[in-house]
Amino acid sequence: MEERSLAFETESAGEDECFKGNKGGFRALPFIFANEMLEKVAGFGLNTNMITYLTDKYHLSTVTSQTMLFVWGAISNFAPIPGAIVADMYLGRFMAVALGSVACLIGMVFLWLTATVPGARPPPCNGDQCAPPGARHLAWLLAGFAFLSLGAGGVRPCSMAFGADQFSRHPKQRRLRILQAYFNAYYASIGVAFMVAVTAIVYLQDNVSWNVGFAVPMGLMLLSTVSFFLGSGLYIKEKGKRQMFAGIGAAVGAAIRNRGARLPDKTVDGVYHHLKDCKLAVPTDKLRFLNKACLLRATKEDAPCNGSDAAASERHGHDGKRPCTVDQVEQLKSAIRVLPIWSSTIFLALAMNQSFAVKQADTMDRRVGAGGFRVPSGSLAVFNMATMSLWSASYDRWVAPALQRYTGNQRGLTMKQRIGGGLLLATASTAVSAAVEGARRRLALSGVTISAFWLVPQFALVGLAEAFGVIGEIEFFYTELPKSMASFSMSLLYMAFGVGNLAGALIVKVVQVASMRGGRTGWLVDDLNAGHYDYYYWLLTGYGVANFVYFAWCCWVYGEEGKNVEWEEEGNTEQP
């Protein structure tokens, strides 16, 4: 049985690439991976421990800091939507990644300046007296956040899709095998970057200084940008296609204009407008009401057009205006059909956010070894990415072949099964978080401090949830949407994270306000022992259970995978 590891595909692709031209393929990946890994080390190095920076150096409360990070995360995850549209229609993915990398570098410079320039952040506390941040302090901080979000709009939706573009000259079946291995290897490399960030960089921030802790990510981001430009001559650079989103918009408009038209009883050729020599001459029966968008003007007998009648009707639709083409309507259908499953993945963003766990670790025993070395609270997240990276790296080589014997699926599990597994594991992680926090609080009130390594199971479950759910989600969107929407398909993942971050901020606010009614102590107060963070985690667990039921229904409605873009012309994705 063939093992579809990236190493195997690299070796077997060597001869093929000799006559495929001197651009793209595996030779371009080192520069793309270097850009992504260095950017992620820098980004994770900032984000993982940012709640500590905001509470300790900016003197913000835990809830205010978490809410600010939720909102920043939401903006950074929504930014890929316009970024993807601009990249797919105008700039192309290469230019989007390049400009995004530069913007991220500028954002990191601003954050480094907050830790370096005197007066750029509030003065140190005088005992228990801590001055709140003023407008000028927040201006430096928010400027850094703004540029990082702007950069995320270019890098996040386009970096992975740009790497996938490098295999656009391979035959379809071979490309599908390579892409599955590529997505897993890509995410495994991100895991390695994360582990470096939450160990080395977090250690510098906690034990050396924030000045150095921000300077290192800034330097790495500079290297990331330079490495990406160094590989410019090796890349396949797809140009933006302005007609892509315009076609979808036109299909929506045509469907509205023709809403009163009568569809024929049977979907037959000659009734619908399609391009010459187009592989798909008639639209599919899914979401059939949208077929009115490409319906041709009827004949006098109100019968289907055929032959010369059809050719004569190419110029006008049912309402006298030029109709959309069948493939434009099918693109619109593809985008609509994935949205319910997309909405069910929002829960992953809530479960994957472990900022509260960092504050929990601050109250726990973090000593290891005979010397009593104290592990930085933010570094416990290494168990998250270690689990995710190990699973992602082993899935194609060992797990998928083993599962294939039972499922009969070459991928081991279908993409929807992987997403579903991720949602279940994410729900399990919140339940474990609730149980551990409840036990920690009870023992802390009795004077016992437990080890911070009791947090490892919840981090490991989040890592598995990410390995199943997020990678499955990426592959699902990329393969189920047209290749001309590759950047947009990647941005759907981040849009789910953005909605999840906003939902998280709303839940935190509502929980805090509701739990403080009647003068009671809130669940999410700065003193974890006085609050009830375990109740918050149980609330998320209930949401996770209900969300999985909703996801199962969405999968049933969606039907079989791989049917959305089986009509797409192979030649459309082969252009360098």
Side-chain angles (χ1 to χ4, degrees), residues 264-343:
D265 294 333
K266 294 184 179 181
T267 303
V268 294
D269 191 10
V271 179
Y272 300 100
H273 176 46
H274 61 85
L275 298 176
K276 184 179 180 181
D277 299 326
C278 182
K279 183 177 180 181
L280 189 65
V282 296
T284 62
D285 287 332
K286 293 183 181 295
L287 300 176
R288 193 167 183 266
F289 66 95
L290 291 176
N291 293 353
K292 296 177 182 180
C294 57
L295 188 66
L296 292 171
R297 184 175 59 191
T299 61
K300 292 181 180 180
E301 292 79 15
D302 200 26
C305 301
N306 55 70
S308 59
D309 292 331
S313 299
E314 288 283 308
R315 299 178 181 273
H316 301 287
H318 185 272
D319 59 350
K321 296 183 179 181
R322 184 179 181 86
C324 294
T325 60
V326 171
D327 61 321
Q328 287 175 329
V329 171
E330 290 304 311
Q331 284 184 349
L332 174 61
K333 289 182 180 180
S334 297
I336 292 176
R337 289 189 65 222
V338 302
L339 289 181
I341 290 180
W342 167 84
S343 66

Side-chain angles (χ1 to χ4, degrees), residues 274-512:
H274 61 85
L275 298 176
K276 184 179 180 181
D277 299 326
C278 182
K279 183 177 180 181
L280 189 65
V282 296
T284 62
D285 287 332
K286 293 183 181 295
L287 300 176
R288 193 167 183 266
F289 66 95
L290 291 176
N291 293 353
K292 296 177 182 180
C294 57
L295 188 66
L296 292 171
R297 184 175 59 191
T299 61
K300 292 181 180 180
E301 292 79 15
D302 200 26
C305 301
N306 55 70
S308 59
D309 292 331
S313 299
E314 288 283 308
R315 299 178 181 273
H316 301 287
H318 185 272
D319 59 350
K321 296 183 179 181
R322 184 179 181 86
C324 294
T325 60
V326 171
D327 61 321
Q328 287 175 329
V329 171
E330 290 304 311
Q331 284 184 349
L332 174 61
K333 289 182 180 180
S334 297
I336 292 176
R337 289 189 65 222
V338 302
L339 289 181
I341 290 180
W342 167 84
S343 66
S344 69
T345 64
I346 292 171
F347 175 72
L348 284 172
L350 288 173
M352 287 167 56
N353 188 291
Q354 294 290 314
S355 293
F356 283 146
V358 175
K359 303 304 294 181
Q360 289 173 252
D362 285 339
T363 68
M364 303 168 79
D365 184 3
R366 293 177 279 121
R367 293 174 297 177
V368 294
F373 173 76
R374 293 173 64 85
V375 177
S377 300
S379 294
L380 289 173
V382 71
F383 293 100
N384 177 337
M385 281 297 171
T387 306
M388 188 276 292
S389 298
L390 289 173
W391 179 265
S392 300
S394 62
Y395 184 82
D396 287 305
R397 182 168 290 276
W398 295 298
V399 179
L403 289 174
Q404 184 179 351
R405 300 176 192 141
Y406 301 97
T407 64
N409 190 301
Q410 286 188 348
R411 302 169 183 260
L413 297 173
T414 67
M415 292 176 285
K416 290 187 294 185
Q417 287 171 340
R418 293 182 72 173
I419 296 173
L423 292 174
L424 285 177
L425 288 164
T427 304
S429 75
T430 58
V432 170
S433 299
V436 171
E437 172 57 17
R440 185 210 63 79
R441 182 178 180 275
R442 287 192 301 271
L443 291 171
L445 292 175
S446 64
V448 178
T449 302
I450 65 173
S451 170
F453 290 94
W454 279 102
L455 298 173
V456 170
Q458 71 191 57
F459 279 111
L461 284 170
V462 169
L464 284 175
E466 198 167 352
F468 272 87
V470 175
I471 297 178
E473 194 177 348
I474 290 171
E475 192 172 352
F476 178 77
F477 293 145
Y478 188 83
T479 57
E480 293 296 294
L481 289 173
K483 297 301 176 288
S484 57
M485 299 175 68
S487 297
F488 181 76
S489 67
M490 295 296 103
S491 70
L492 284 176
L493 170 69
Y494 295 106
M495 186 166 69
F497 286 169
V499 175
N501 284 326
L502 286 180
L506 178 63
I507 290 173
V508 167
K509 185 65 176 179
V510 170
V511 165
Q512 181 67 352

